[in-house]
């Protein structure tokens, strides 16, 4: 796939192959589309471009999402070792296509090809590997973790070319799997247009939204206007940074608050979560189009509403990742917690049943840090006078659920209790020996912040005057300094230990420094005897 010149405007990033005349023709429709500026199908003579390629893998399956710049006449063709995979159209208009091939051998490298409906290659052939067989015990497996990669430069997110540079540096270490933990999109609706900020700020947000991608809640979620706008948001915030750079590295996406097109707020007017039907549909459509296939979803009571918030990734008998979205299940009325009860039960039962040498919880909301905001597990409040403070609406039942999950982690007899989280725009690591009335000394909780890719101004200390810090009810020590910087984390997992490396960078450091970025912290988590 051809890369786009980073000197182009945001509108041109997705559509450089189209003409200025066509671009002007849709200027009044809220911005550009994911696939070109015309809704008509491309002609056979036109060159179609892949704007993003997002793979995923399990022990017996490979899957690929493909985002095109123009809807085709017929489905594109993906082959795996010469065998054609069935194509699924993932959106109404045909910009997004998905392919899943099951029945493959674990731990095996496969060759993939992708062509358009006329047989023209859409990119060079590439290789993608299935995860190890469930009975295998690999000697080592490298996992890349990061969070908050989304955001639009027009609303002060980190420049697209800088985010690409961070990805490229992370990928230079050849990870076997990448976990993107939440906030793939920042395009909040009510919180940005009605709730948070001065009249001037709200007016500025509306001007930006109307200019780039206006999502109209007075229309049907799936209206043409809203489809166009969602395509634009996906193109600018996901496709533009991922492109095809992860083609040979399986990806897993976890959702967080902004992925539901809102911030996690509350007030006398109510709460932004659980998501209302309109924003839930936006998240689901964005996930269908531009999240890698989730191949490890359990079938939980409550159907897709609950099952879509959790995923288990099993890497042979070496390591199991339990990934969970802490927003969709918000309970502010009955005392259940942030997670659906079915999800909590699954996480704890799966932890007890897993035969993996290492087990890692990967929640969207961090264990071990607070930024004083409503959506924390913890009751800690920001400093007095903080703008948009809403902590008085925090339910104590959220910490109760946190305690049940922490208790299950620390009660593992042979495995360390490990969690790596998203959401908070920082990197760092802590070792906790107490959480409320739970003594963790015999198996401390190793809590890690993954590091943020897209943050430019949204640091906790900037937004709330409160640096991300240890909650009042937890007792622990630092393994790595908490830093409000962009970065990522690498786990080298072995049967006996996990080596953790954390990387950080932030302007005014030159972007050129990213290419040779070294870890600012390296430490090892040993498996218990």
């Amino acid at each position: 796939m051809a890369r786009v010149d980073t000197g182009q405007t945001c509108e041109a990033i997705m559509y450089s192959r189209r003409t200025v005349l066509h671009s002007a023709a849709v200027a009044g429709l809220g911005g550009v589309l994911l696939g070109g500026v015309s809704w008509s199908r491309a002609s056979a003579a036109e060159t179609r471009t892949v704007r993003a390629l997002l793979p995923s893998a399990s022990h017996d399956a490979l899957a690929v999402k493909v985002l095109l710049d123009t809807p085709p006449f017929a489905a594109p063709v993906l082959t795996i070792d010469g065998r054609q995979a069935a194509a699924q159209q993932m959106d109404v208009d045909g910009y997004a296509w998905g392919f899943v091939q099951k029945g493959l051998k674990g731990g095996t490298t496969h060759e993939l090809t992708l062509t358009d409906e006329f047989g023209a290659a859409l990119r060079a052939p590439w290789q993608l590997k299935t995860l190890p067989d469930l009975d295998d015990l690999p000697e080592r497996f490298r996992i890349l973790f990061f969070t908050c990669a989304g955001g639009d430069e027009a609303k002060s997110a980190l420049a697209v070319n800088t985010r690409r540079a961070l990805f490229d540096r992370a990928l230079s270490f050849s990870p076997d799997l990448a976990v993107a933990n939440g906030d793939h999109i920042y395009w909040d609706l009510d919180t940005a247009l009605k709730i948070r900020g001065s009249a001037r700020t709200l007016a500025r947000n509306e001007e930006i939204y109307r200019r780039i991608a206006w999502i109209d809640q007075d229309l049907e979620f799936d209206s043409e206007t809203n489809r166009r706008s969602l395509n634009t948001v996906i193109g600018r915030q996901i496709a533009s940074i991922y492109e095809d750079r992860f083609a040979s590295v399986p990806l897993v996406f976890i959702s967080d608050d902004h992925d539901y097109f809102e911030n996690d707020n509350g007030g006398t007017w109510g709460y932004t979560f659980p998501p209302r039907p309109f924003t839930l549909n936006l998240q689901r459509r964005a996930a269908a189009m531009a999240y890698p296939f989730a191949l490890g979803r359990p079938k939980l009571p409550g159907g897709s509403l609950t099952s879509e918030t959790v995923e288990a990734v099993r890497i042979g008998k070496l390591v199991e990742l339990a990934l969970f979205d802490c927003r969709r299940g918000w309970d502010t009325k009955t005392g259940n917690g942030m997670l659906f009860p079915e999800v909590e039960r699954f996480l704890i039962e799966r932890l007890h049943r897993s035969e993996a040498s290492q087990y890692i919880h990967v929640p969207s909301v961090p264990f071990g840090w607070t930024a004083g905001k409503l959506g924390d597990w913890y009751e800690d409040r920001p400093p007095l006078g903080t703008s948009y403070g809403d902590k008085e609406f925090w339910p104590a039942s959220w910490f109760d659920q946190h305690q049940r999950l922490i208790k299950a982690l620390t009660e593992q007899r042979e495995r360390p209790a490990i969690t790596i989280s998203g959401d908070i725009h920082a990197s760092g690591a802590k070792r906790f020996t107490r959480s409320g009335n739970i003594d963790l000394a015999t198996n401390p909780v190793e809590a890690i912040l993954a590091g943020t890719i897209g943050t430019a101004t949204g640091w906790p200390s900037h937004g709330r005057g409160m640096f991300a810090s240890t909650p009042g009810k937890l007792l622990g020590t630092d393994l790595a300094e908490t830093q409000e910087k962009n970065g990522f984390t690498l786990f080298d997992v072995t049967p006996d230990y996990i080596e953790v490396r954390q990387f950080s960078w932030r302007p005014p450091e030159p972007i050129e420094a990213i290419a040779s970025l070294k870890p600012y912290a390296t430490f090892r988590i040993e498996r218990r005897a």
Side-chain angles (χ1 to χ4, degrees):
M1 179 185 75
R3 307 282 181 174
V4 179
D5 181 358
T6 57
Q8 292 176 302
T9 66
C10 288
E11 288 191 346
I13 284 174
M14 296 298 295
Y15 313 103
S16 59
R17 304 189 70 91
R18 293 300 189 178
T19 66
V20 174
L21 178 63
H22 284 160
S23 296
V26 296
L29 296 176
V32 293
L33 309 177
L34 177 66
V37 296
S38 170
W39 287 79
S40 62
R41 302 275 168 171
S43 71
E46 288 184 294
T47 302
R48 188 169 296 109
T49 302
V50 174
R51 290 311 185 190
L53 193 155
L54 305 165
S56 49
S58 71
H59 69 284
D60 64 353
L62 294 178
V64 178
K65 290 278 182 75
V66 176
L67 298 179
L68 300 173
D69 66 338
T70 319
F73 287 107
V77 177
L78 181 94
T79 69
I80 300 176
D81 296 333
R83 177 183 176 188
Q84 185 172 331
Q88 306 173 48
Q89 185 172 326
M90 307 307 298
D91 68 323
V92 174
D93 303 297
Y95 292 106
W97 296 83
F99 307 85
V100 180
Q101 184 64 60
K102 299 182 179 180
L104 301 176
K105 184 179 179 182
T108 303
T109 299
H110 301 269
E111 180 156 308
L112 285 72
T113 66
L114 182 66
T115 63
D116 68 13
E117 67 272 36
F118 305 110
L122 289 171
R123 78 179 309 277
W126 75 101
Q127 293 185 330
L128 184 62
K129 191 175 183 178
T130 48
L131 298 183
D133 188 82
L134 295 181
D135 291 326
D136 288 348
L137 183 61
E139 293 183 1
R140 184 178 295 267
F141 194 90
R142 180 168 293 169
I143 308 172
L144 166 65
F145 294 95
F146 56 87
T147 188
C148 304
D152 197 299
E153 289 183 62
K155 290 195 90 265
S156 302
L158 197 65
V160 166
N161 64 324
T162 308
R163 283 179 271 178
R164 291 172 180 165
L166 287 165
F167 276 163
D168 289 341
R169 180 54 177 158
L171 290 168
S172 73
F173 293 96
S174 301
D176 299 300
L177 177 74
V179 177
N181 194 343
D183 294 340
H184 316 287
I185 287 173
Y186 288 83
W187 208 248
D188 301 345
L189 297 178
D190 284 0
T191 44
L193 300 171
K194 301 177 183 179
I195 296 170
R196 297 185 70 200
S198 64
R200 181 179 178 181
T201 298
L202 298 177
R204 178 180 177 273
N205 288 340
E206 181 171 339
E207 184 278 324
I208 292 171
Y209 282 25
R210 287 191 181 277
R211 173 163 49 87
I212 296 174
W214 181 253
I215 295 174
D216 193 335
Q217 296 188 73
D218 292 328
L219 300 176
E220 290 294 326
F221 136 78
D222 209 26
S223 67
E224 183 173 305
T225 294
N226 289 338
R227 294 203 312 275
R228 287 174 179 245
S229 295
L230 181 59
N231 288 352
T232 298
V233 171
I234 289 171
R236 292 166 68 101
Q237 299 194 33
I238 297 179
S240 68
I241 57 171
Y242 283 89
E243 299 182 303
D244 67 345
R245 50 185 29 90
F246 285 83
S248 294
V249 179
L251 277 160
V252 185
F253 275 25
I254 308 169
S255 295
D256 199 23
D257 53 344
H258 297 284
D259 299 310
Y260 294 92
F261 292 75
E262 293 294 4
N263 194 52
D264 51 342
N265 287 119
T268 55
W269 43 266
Y271 294 86
T272 51
F273 288 88
R276 56 192 181 276
F278 189 91
T279 55
L280 176 61
N281 282 333
L282 285 175
Q283 186 275 334
R284 281 175 156 171
R285 174 58 56 80
M289 291 180 66
Y291 289 19
F293 279 103
L295 300 176
R297 292 266 192 255
K299 292 183 179 179
L300 300 180
S304 60
L305 185 69
T306 57
S307 298
E308 288 169 1
T309 66
V310 64
E311 184 172 3
V313 178
R314 299 173 65 184
I315 300 160
K317 290 188 175 180
L318 176 63
V319 58
E320 182 166 341
L321 308 179
L323 310 107
F324 49 104
D325 168 354
C326 303
R327 303 303 189 186
R328 189 185 290 191
W330 263 30
D331 185 344
T332 60
K333 297 177 181 178
T334 66
N336 282 327
M338 277 196 197
L339 309 179
F340 292 110
E342 300 93 330
V343 172
E344 179 187 337
R345 283 194 294 271
F346 170 81
L347 291 170
I348 293 175
E349 289 172 3
R350 185 65 217 158
L351 187 152
H352 292 319
R353 292 199 311 270
S354 176
E355 298 179 351
S357 298
Q358 310 282 2
Y359 194 94
I360 303 169
H361 267 184
V362 192
S364 63
V365 176
F367 287 2
W369 280 265
T370 178
K373 61 178 184 174
L374 174 64
D376 291 338
W377 292 104
Y378 311 102
E379 63 186 337
D380 305 72
R381 297 194 174 208
L384 290 175
T386 299
S387 300
Y388 322 127
D390 51 8
K391 199 67 179 189
E392 64 268 28
F393 300 99
W394 177 85
S397 60
W398 292 357
F399 184 68
D400 295 337
Q401 187 175 64
H402 165 281
Q403 292 293 82
R404 295 191 293 271
L405 294 170
I406 288 289
K407 185 173 183 291
L409 277 174
T410 195
E411 286 179 346
Q412 296 177 97
R413 295 193 177 187
E414 297 180 352
R415 295 185 297 230
I418 304 172
T419 175
I420 180 166
S421 310
D423 185 58
I424 288 184
H425 306 266
S427 300
K430 296 178 183 288
R431 175 172 292 153
F432 291 101
T433 54
R434 177 167 292 277
S435 179
N437 61 359
I438 302 176
D439 185 351
L440 309 174
T442 56
N443 191 13
V445 170
E446 315 282 353
I448 299 160
L449 292 179
T452 172
I453 295 293
T455 306
T457 62
W459 311 104
S461 60
H462 175 81
R464 295 181 179 80
M466 180 177 178
F467 189 81
S469 57
T470 301
K473 288 189 174 180
L474 272 62
L475 179 65
T477 57
D478 284 352
L479 295 177
E481 176 190 5
T482 300
Q483 295 190 356
E484 286 189 335
K485 290 187 174 185
N486 304 100
F488 53 88
T489 297
L490 292 172
F491 275 22
D492 282 305
V493 184
T494 78
D496 298 319
Y497 63 85
I498 298 175
E499 183 175 86
V500 180
R501 287 178 286 171
Q502 297 201 282
F503 297 76
S504 66
W505 172 94
R506 182 175 171 178
E509 296 175 66
I511 186 174
E512 293 78 14
I514 295 174
S516 57
L517 202 61
K518 300 293 192 294
Y520 82 89
T522 301
F523 57 94
R524 183 174 289 194
I525 301 172
E526 302 281 352
R527 191 169 187 268
R528 296 180 58 79

